Amino acid sequence: YRYDSLADTALPTRGRRVDATVQGSRTGLGADSNRNRAAAEWLGVRTFGDTHVLASLQLGSNFSGDGGVDDEFELGGLFQLSGYRTGELRGQHSALLTLSAYEQIRFGDRVPLPIYAGLSLEAGNVWNDSDNISTSDLRSAAAPRRSSWASASARRFVRARQAAQKKTASPATRGSYQSLAAREAEAPWA
């Protein structure tokens, strides 16, 4: 299920988004094991004068059966417990609460591009056993909020550079890129 009324996906100024998914795997249908998995996210944005406040809550659980490494929930990385590496925290259950505030910095006519500044506060954790879930062991983080045009430009640059490297790589080098990517997918914390 998905409901989305956000005004902008990068730096929204108003609206809400709700995502909810439930997945089930059954050995009778060809799966390796019987599992049930659920994930949900709520995100809302309100504007107060020039300041935009974003709040979000993400919850996830492999609530029946052991999800295995591929089904673990991941936290870490920018706005997902900043300060931890992307995917550094992994577990069968997860929770993340984020509160961000940001506003556009105005330079008059000198800077034609919109620049935003702000702060994000995050609290969450992952757990392997549902009996251990507790608010007393939440991890917290804070991060500066980025400018949307700068991050979009950086993503385009990185994608273009990766595409150029793949085109100019020899078949042997392409294989080593692929094996490196496979190793990183297996152990992203290494």
Side-chain angles (χ1 to χ4, degrees):
Y1 171 79
R2 182 178 182 110
Y3 169 79
D4 190 340
S5 67
L6 293 177
D8 183 333
T9 58
L11 288 168
T13 56
R14 66 184 185 289
R16 287 189 237 23
R17 181 177 65 214
V18 177
D19 278 321
T21 59
V22 177
Q23 299 169 326
S25 300
R26 300 291 174 261
T27 55
L29 297 173
D32 293 336
S33 63
N34 293 327
R35 292 187 294 239
N36 294 313
R37 173 185 172 94
E41 177 188 23
W42 173 87
L43 184 143
V45 181
R46 297 277 317 252
T47 298
F48 303 95
D50 289 337
T51 303
H52 311 293
V53 177
L54 179 146
S56 72
L57 175 64
Q58 297 176 27
L59 302 170
S61 179
N62 287 310
F63 55 90
S64 174
D66 184 11
V69 174
D70 289 339
D71 289 330
E72 287 181 334
F73 293 94
E74 296 181 357
L75 289 178
L78 193 59
F79 308 121
Q80 297 273 322
L81 288 180
S82 303
Y84 292 92
R85 284 183 281 179
T86 301
E88 182 175 353
L89 305 172
R90 301 169 63 97
Q92 298 297 317
H93 312 278
S94 72
L96 178 67
L97 176 64
T98 303
L99 180 64
S100 300
Y102 50 94
E103 66 181 62
Q104 185 174 357
I105 300 172
R106 302 188 193 285
F107 294 98
D109 294 336
R110 290 178 283 162
V111 178
L113 300 171
I115 297 175
Y116 290 84
L119 177 69
S120 176
L121 303 173
E122 305 131 20
N125 207 350
V126 295
W127 301 270
N128 282 317
D129 187 346
S130 62
D131 294 335
N132 295 334
I133 296 174
S134 170
T135 57
S136 65
D137 64 348
L138 290 178
R139 300 166 189 250
S140 59
R145 196 79 184 157
R146 70 185 187 280
S147 172
S148 64
W149 68 265
S151 63
S153 297
R155 284 192 302 269
R156 282 193 297 273
F157 173 77
V158 169
R159 282 194 297 259
R161 185 171 176 199
Q162 289 172 338
Q165 286 175 340
K166 286 181 181 178
K167 285 180 184 177
T168 59
S170 68
T173 307
R174 270 189 234 119
S176 65
Y177 285 143
Q178 291 168 350
S179 63
L180 176 62
R183 284 193 305 260
E184 288 176 350
E186 291 172 9
W189 55 87

